Amino acid sequence: MPSIADVKLFLLDMDGTFYLGEKILPGSLDFIQAVKDSGRDFLFLTNNSSHNADYYVKRLSRMGLDVGPDKILTSTQATAIKLNELYPGKRAFVLGNEYMFAELEEGGVAIDQENPEIVVIGYDTTLDYKKMTRVCDLVRAGLPYVASHPDFNCPTETGFAPDIGAIIAFIEASAGRRPDLIVGKPYAGIVEAAVARTGLAPARMAMVGDRLYTDVETGLKHGMLSVLVLSGETTPEMAAASPIKPHLTFQRLADMNPLL
């Protein structure tokens, strides 16, 4: 089993792990300080494609943590990298909000909502029936189809909001297709982006998060220390019943501090 002693970089989920809604989870800042004090580093790795890195920088600052955009890696940024690699210069129809549009354009992706060559979907918080119909038409027509991440729900302070997994499900029900590529956790695209960003091999990383099928699975699939925190989606009962087993489980981030 991988060991915390081998870890040089903690990849940290955000929603349900570091904060919930606009409230920072108890002990999160203490954990960041403990990571720094131990000579290690951290990178926030979020599947949420409804916001960009600048948004998260401001959000974290309101919670008392000042970091630059280099400490944030979003699934949209990783998606832009994969689109440039697999479909260079192709025009994309994007199902997403203004934050996703901005981050894709910053990543060099050409967006064309009228005459696209590929379809890219994210967690679209501005979704309406017109958009639903349009994206299904394009997917049904056979255009290459890429999703930023697979999460079914996004944790909030009052429960859960339907995430991109629900969008993927309605597109499949209507158009009969699933994405040709999913980029975010637990898939390889976002891990490749983290390796490129940091220069570290996955064996020197720990993936820490609250969700079994994305965060924990990322660590297990890609040779990282896999750490579950029970501060978000996953309950102890869910963890016990799941075939996905993290290497380590803690109630919250700060419970790792003594091991650092």
Side-chain angles (χ1 to χ4, degrees):
M1 185 183 86
S3 167
I4 282 184
D6 299 322
V7 172
K8 294 296 183 184
L9 178 77
F10 288 92
L11 299 175
L12 301 176
D13 178 54
M14 302 178 81
D15 297 321
T17 299
F18 194 81
Y19 57 70
L20 198 56
E22 285 298 323
K23 295 181 179 178
I24 191 167
L25 288 164
S28 293
L29 294 178
D30 292 336
F31 173 75
I32 294 296
Q33 189 60 52
V35 169
K36 292 178 179 178
D37 291 345
S38 71
R40 296 175 172 91
D41 207 349
F42 63 93
L43 175 66
F44 288 106
L45 198 70
T46 180
N47 269 1
N48 192 336
S49 55
S50 70
H51 298 298
N52 60 8
D54 288 339
Y55 170 90
Y56 287 115
V57 166
K58 294 173 184 174
R59 189 175 199 174
L60 290 169
S61 180
R62 293 196 299 270
M63 296 178 185
L65 181 64
D66 291 321
V67 296
D70 60 306
K71 291 295 186 187
I72 314 288
L73 178 59
T74 71
S75 63
T76 303
Q77 291 173 327
T79 298
I81 292 169
K82 294 304 291 186
L83 292 175
N84 288 324
E85 175 189 326
L86 299 174
Y87 308 105
K90 296 293 186 182
R91 304 183 307 275
F93 172 88
V94 177
L95 188 75
N97 64 16
E98 70 276 14
Y99 290 108
M100 189 175 192
F101 273 67
E103 205 153 51
L104 287 174
E105 289 176 333
E106 288 169 9
V109 176
I111 296 176
D112 186 341
Q113 299 296 83
E114 300 302 321
N115 297 291
E117 298 167 283
I118 57 176
V119 175
V120 181
I121 73 166
Y123 173 26
D124 188 358
T125 55
T126 61
L127 187 64
D128 58 26
Y129 200 79
K130 182 178 179 181
K131 286 186 177 185
M132 292 171 70
T133 303
R134 175 68 168 153
V135 72
C136 289
D137 286 345
L138 294 171
V139 170
R140 195 179 297 111
L143 271 63
Y145 167 29
V146 177
S148 61
H149 63 290
D151 301 40
F152 291 105
N153 292 300
C154 181
T156 72
E157 293 174 81
T158 56
F160 298 99
D163 205 321
I164 189 174
I167 295 173
I168 290 171
F170 85 64
I171 293 173
E172 182 179 12
S174 176
R177 285 179 63 197
R178 289 188 59 78
D180 302 308
L181 175 71
I182 302 176
V183 178
K185 299 174 289 185
Y187 295 93
I190 199 165
V191 174
E192 292 166 3
V195 169
R197 172 82 65 91
T198 65
L200 290 171
R204 306 296 277 172
M205 299 177 179
M207 182 67 232
V208 186
D210 68 301
R211 186 168 285 162
L212 291 164
Y213 69 90
T214 56
D215 303 316
V216 171
E217 188 74 7
T218 296
L220 297 176
K221 286 179 66 173
H222 300 287
M224 305 173 186
L225 181 69
S226 182
V227 182
L228 173 68
V229 288
L230 300 173
S231 51
E233 175 176 301
T234 302
T235 64
E237 294 75 20
M238 291 166 62
S242 174
I244 302 171
K245 300 299 182 185
H247 296 121
L248 297 171
T249 300
F250 299 94
Q251 190 65 39
R252 58 178 187 164
L253 287 175
D255 291 342
M256 275 190 283
N257 293 1
L259 299 181
L260 301 182

